[in-house]
Amino acid sequence: NAGVTQTPKFRILKIGQSMTLQCTQDMNHNYMYWYRQDPGMGLKLIYYSVGAGITDKGEVPNGYNVSRSTTEDFPLRLELAAPSQTSVYFCASWTANSPLHFGNGTRLTVT
Amino acid sequence: QKEVEQNSGPLSVPEGAIASLNCTYSDRGSQSFFWYRQYSGKSPELIMSIYSNGDKEDGRFTAQLNKASQYVSLLIRDSQPSDSATYLCAVSANFGNEKLTFGTGTRLTIIP
């Protein structure tokens, strides 16, 4: 199993550009999450999904959108990138009686 | 708003000593408590979970939970240089990993 795979690893965006952060897991987990981590800070939940076709907002959803058309994939969309979205983004998945599985992260810089 | 508070550190501990990390949380209904270790530039990894009051030991790590005081701690015995990392406390209102609220983390440095 590859676990949770995130692409790209790094990205630099100009203000106003859009992009999609990809996340896929091969563990058949129902729950998937997007977190962001600003320098020296903890993780804040952006969006989460409890299964295909179901998504919900987390603590900091503004400026982001998600979709969950399959169990495996949970992409995160930034429509109009702003400097405040400069962060490291972690995707994670979970199922009962298992730990939270994190991807390796995407480091995004908006200038 | 649910909050999880940690001393950001840095906390410096001599090699072989006990490192003590603390965390308080605001949501009295919280049910699940986790400690994650995060090396610089890496993703968090789970080292301990605890769900009921008292102590839980796993090797050199002991998690302690006091729900009445809304306090959870992590003790690392016989600290090693490889324990140098940021330790994140995370709390959930459910019995599981659903919608974790993370603290800002405590940076721990083990001095050889």
Side-chain angles (χ1 to χ4, degrees), chain B residues 18-21 35 47-50 54-65 72-77:
Chain B
I18 296 175
S20 178
L21 304 165
W35 284 99
I47 52 173
M48 288 289 287
S49 59
I50 187 166
D55 295 358
K56 179 181 177 183
E57 187 175 318
D58 184 0
R60 295 186 296 112
F61 299 96
T62 299
Q64 299 174 318
L65 174 61
V72 58
S73 66
L74 178 70
L75 300 177
I76 306 174
R77 290 182 301 281

Side-chain angles (χ1 to χ4, degrees), chain A residues 68-79:
Chain A
R68 184 92 183 274
S69 56
T70 66
T71 299
E72 293 78 20
D73 299 307
F74 190 41
L76 178 71
R77 178 83 177 163
L78 284 71
E79 289 295 348

Side-chain angles (χ1 to χ4, degrees), chain A residues 37 42 59 94 98 100 103, chain B residues 1 36 38 43 97-99 103:
Chain A
Q37 185 176 32
E59 187 181 352
W94 175 71
S98 80
L100 199 59
Chain B
Q1 184 171 348
Y36 284 82
Q38 187 176 28
S43 55
N97 285 281
E98 300 172 56
K99 295 182 66 177

